[in-house]
């Protein structure tokens, strides 16, 4: 029985410890940002997106207002009031004096109000297109900052690795020198190489700090990129051969299309403005007790005395602006198709270069260091040869990281070019 109790107690302790460790792991603060987390944080943090959302709300409110008739006008007046004589300032003695109250209403045709509503709805579409363009730019800028932080951290890591190796070699050579089996010159050579590496490391760390600050500018969080999280740069959801079918989803083209539709809606409003608004009024006039009261009705219509040089000119101007918007969109479509093909070609070329580094350059650099170290131990190579080989390996790694960063910057242009709900 005692052994069973001890076993149960141990089991309970293990469960409690496991639960505590799990809760600590869950509560541990996040130390790095994945790319997806950075993109999500940037979207939540951005005020530019909220500004475009406000613009869309404003346009929608104006569209709702445009569909209504103008407010009626209330008119109160005293007409023909005597200012001298025995009836001076009397409102009831002179037969011409009237106290009047009236109301007028301007009547805007339903088609005219519908045209104005449509124009403001196009404003809402423009605001939504601007938001999408802003979101695309935001995602690309955030991803760019994330990749810069990501690769800067790897540069620092490689330099720290070499720093540790040279430090161990200095310790070994110092021990050899103290045992009279080495020379002071070897120790000084290694110390000089280490000092030079430390200077480069400081520059790399400074660049990493700058890149982290740039990432913070977009995400609002003081967290660096996760060095272990790197998307597959050889794959993207973007398909070049389907771009022409979805070019209307390109943020710039979508915005220009919205602006074009806005211009065409303004042509319709100009056409509708050729028909004048009619105002109707009714007025009741009260005179003195000895006279009859009066009721008046009125209709007022603006006289379009020269429509060919006024209203028609406005329609022509709006039509010209609509043609301008259309041609700008078509030209921009050509430009973006060509630009995207260039991005694709650059990305493919960078991937081929990365393959050369991974399959040839880096393995050869590593082999160079191993062979030089073996020759140095056998007394067939100098310490400077070893340091040169390590320097070449480090430079190869740094060149590979720089190329990977350039590849990532081309990749993100394609990956985040179209909205996420587009499957080209």
């Amino acid at each position: 029985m005692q052994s069973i109790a001890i076993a149960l107690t141990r089991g309970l302790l293990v469960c409690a410890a496991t639960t505590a460790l799990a809760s600590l792991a869950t509560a541990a603060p996040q130390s790095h940002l994945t790319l997806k987390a950075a993109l999500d944080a940037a979207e939540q943090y951005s005020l530019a997106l909220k500004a475009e959302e406000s613009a869309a709300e404003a346009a929608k409110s104006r569209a709702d207002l445009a569909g209504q008739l103008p407010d009626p006008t209330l008119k109160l007046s005293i007409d023909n009031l005597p200012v001298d004589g025995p009836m001076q300032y009397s409102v009831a003695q002179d037969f011409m004096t009237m106290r009047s109250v009236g109301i007028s209403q301007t009547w805007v045709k339903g088609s005219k109000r519908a045209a104005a509503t449509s124009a403001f709805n196009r404003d809402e579409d423009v605001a939504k297109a601007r938001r999408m363009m802003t979101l695309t730019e935001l995602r690309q800028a955030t991803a760019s900052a994330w990749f810069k932080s990501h690769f800067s951290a790897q540069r620092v890591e490689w330099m720290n690795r070499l720093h540790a190796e040279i430090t161990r070699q200095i310790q070994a050579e110092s021990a050899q020198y103290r045992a009279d089996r080495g020379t002071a010159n070897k120790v000084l050579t290694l110390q000089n190489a280490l000092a030079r590496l430390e200077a480069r490391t400081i520059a790399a760390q400074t660049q990493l700090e700058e890149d982290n600050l740039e990432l913070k500018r977009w995400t609002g969080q003081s967290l660096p990129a996760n060095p272990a999280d790197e998307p597959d740069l050889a794959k993207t959801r973007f398909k070049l051969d389907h771009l022409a079918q979805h070019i209307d989803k390109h943020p710039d083209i979508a915005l220009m299309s919205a602006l074009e539709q806005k211009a065409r809606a303004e042509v319709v409003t100009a056409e509708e403005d050729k028909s004048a608004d009619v105002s109707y009024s009714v007025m009741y006039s009260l005179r003195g007790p000895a006279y009859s009261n009066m009721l008046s009705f009125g209709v007022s219509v603006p006289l379009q005395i020269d429509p060919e040089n006024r209203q028609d000119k406005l329609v022509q101007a709006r039509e010209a602006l609509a043609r301008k918007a259309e041609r700008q969109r078509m030209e921009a479509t050509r430009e973006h198709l060509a630009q995207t093909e260039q991005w694709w070609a650059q990305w493919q070329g960078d991937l081929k270069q990365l393959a050369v580094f991974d399959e040839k350059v880096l393995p050869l650099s590593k082999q160079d260091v191993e062979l030089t170290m073996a020759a140095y131990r056998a007394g067939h190579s100098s310490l400077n040869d070893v340091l040169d080989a390590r320097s070449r390996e480090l430079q190869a790694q740094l060149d590979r990281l720089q190329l990977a960063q350039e590849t990532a910057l081309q990749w993100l242009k394609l990956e985040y070019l179209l909205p996420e709900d587009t499957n080209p």
Side-chain angles (χ1 to χ4, degrees):
M1 292 295 293
Q2 184 177 0
S3 60
I4 295 175
I6 292 173
L8 290 174
T9 302
R10 288 177 178 174
L12 290 173
L13 289 173
V14 169
C15 291
T18 303
T19 305
L21 289 174
S23 62
L24 287 174
T26 304
Q30 185 179 3
S31 59
H32 295 88
L33 277 176
T34 63
L35 178 57
K36 184 180 185 307
L39 295 173
D40 293 342
E43 187 170 348
Q44 293 296 323
Y45 184 66
S46 174
L47 293 178
L49 291 178
K50 295 179 176 62
E52 296 301 339
E53 292 168 2
S54 297
E57 292 174 3
K60 186 177 185 304
S61 297
R62 290 197 299 269
D64 294 339
L65 177 62
Q68 304 176 24
L69 288 172
D71 291 331
T73 302
L74 176 66
K75 181 179 179 181
L76 301 174
S77 66
I78 297 178
D79 302 320
N80 305 320
L81 180 67
V83 295
D84 55 17
M87 291 182 289
Q88 183 179 18
Y89 301 124
S90 174
V91 297
Q93 297 183 42
D94 193 293
F95 75 97
M96 294 184 62
T97 302
M98 295 181 293
R99 290 159 290 170
S100 304
V101 58
I103 190 169
S104 64
Q105 173 69 62
T106 299
W107 183 262
V108 182
K109 290 195 313 179
S111 60
K112 194 171 185 179
R113 283 180 281 144
T117 299
S118 177
F120 284 119
N121 283 334
R122 301 293 78 75
D123 278 338
E124 183 180 2
D125 293 341
V126 169
K128 291 179 179 179
R130 289 190 190 280
R131 185 192 183 281
M132 181 55 65
M133 184 176 69
T134 301
L135 177 60
T136 298
E137 293 173 348
L138 174 68
R139 292 173 70 83
Q140 290 180 345
T142 303
S144 175
W146 187 91
F147 276 116
K148 290 177 182 178
S149 172
H150 173 78
F151 288 112
S152 289
Q154 291 190 20
R155 291 186 187 94
V156 172
E157 181 182 355
W158 269 104
M159 291 182 181
N160 288 337
R161 288 182 186 178
L162 184 56
H163 186 283
E165 290 180 10
I166 295 178
T167 299
R168 286 194 295 270
Q169 193 164 359
I170 288 176
Q171 293 171 350
E173 291 294 340
S174 297
Q176 291 286 336
Y177 173 67
R178 288 192 297 270
D180 292 330
R181 290 194 299 270
T183 64
N185 183 55
K186 290 183 178 180
V187 177
L188 290 175
T189 299
L190 288 169
Q191 289 175 341
N192 181 49
L194 186 63
R196 292 176 180 273
L197 179 61
E198 287 175 351
R200 295 184 66 181
T201 304
I202 290 173
Q205 289 173 339
T206 302
Q207 184 62 53
L208 175 59
E209 292 175 4
E210 293 178 1
D211 293 338
N212 287 339
L213 288 173
E214 182 181 354
L215 181 59
K216 179 183 177 182
R217 178 262 175 271
W218 296 112
T219 63
Q221 300 184 19
S222 301
L223 296 175
N226 189 343
D229 173 53
E230 182 176 328
D232 186 355
L233 299 181
K235 296 180 181 179
T236 174
R237 66 187 183 88
F238 180 84
K239 300 294 184 294
L240 182 62
D241 54 349
H242 293 171
L243 176 60
Q245 303 174 19
H246 298 275
I247 191 63
D248 58 316
K249 298 294 184 65
H250 189 291
D252 290 344
I253 303 304
L255 175 58
M256 298 187 82
S257 296
L259 290 171
E260 179 186 347
Q261 294 304 315
K262 166 65 176 176
R264 296 192 181 282
E266 289 179 344
V267 173
V268 177
T269 59
E271 289 280 3
E272 290 292 337
D273 284 340
K274 293 171 66 175
S275 61
D277 298 334
V278 181
S279 296
Y280 302 92
S281 62
V282 60
M283 178 176 290
Y284 182 77
S285 300
L286 182 66
R287 300 201 294 172
Y291 310 106
S292 298
N293 296 328
M294 302 290 183
L295 185 62
S296 304
F297 299 94
V299 178
S300 61
V301 182
L303 297 178
Q304 299 180 353
I305 58 176
D306 190 10
E308 292 184 356
N309 291 316
R310 294 177 184 242
Q311 287 79 15
D312 290 349
K313 290 294 183 182
L314 178 60
V315 172
Q316 293 170 11
R318 297 280 177 83
E319 289 175 341
L321 290 175
R323 290 193 298 272
K324 173 189 174 184
E326 179 185 17
R327 289 163 182 169
Q328 286 179 329
R329 175 186 56 79
M330 294 173 66
E331 183 64 28
T333 299
R334 296 175 181 174
E335 177 183 354
H336 287 300
L337 284 172
Q339 183 185 61
T340 307
E341 290 175 352
Q342 292 172 351
W343 289 346
W344 182 275
Q346 182 65 50
W347 173 57
Q348 291 292 313
D350 289 344
L351 289 176
K352 292 177 182 178
Q353 292 185 66
L354 280 176
V356 172
F357 266 87
D358 293 338
E359 296 170 8
K360 297 180 180 180
V361 176
L362 296 184
L364 289 173
S365 298
K366 183 178 180 181
Q367 186 178 8
D368 182 22
V369 172
E370 292 173 350
L371 292 176
T372 305
M373 283 294 298
Y376 174 71
R377 294 188 187 99
H380 301 307
S381 181
S382 67
L383 181 59
N384 285 332
D385 292 335
V386 173
L387 293 176
D388 288 343
R390 282 181 172 166
S391 178
R392 289 192 295 271
E393 183 187 27
L394 174 62
Q395 191 59 51
Q397 291 289 350
L398 295 180
D399 289 344
R400 198 271 180 196
L401 289 174
Q402 181 62 34
L403 179 58
Q405 179 173 319
E406 294 172 1
T407 305
L409 295 182
Q410 293 297 328
W411 175 85
L412 67 88
K413 292 177 184 178
L414 299 170
E415 181 70 12
Y416 304 119
L417 179 63
L418 300 179
E420 289 186 334
D421 57 354
T422 304
N423 296 310

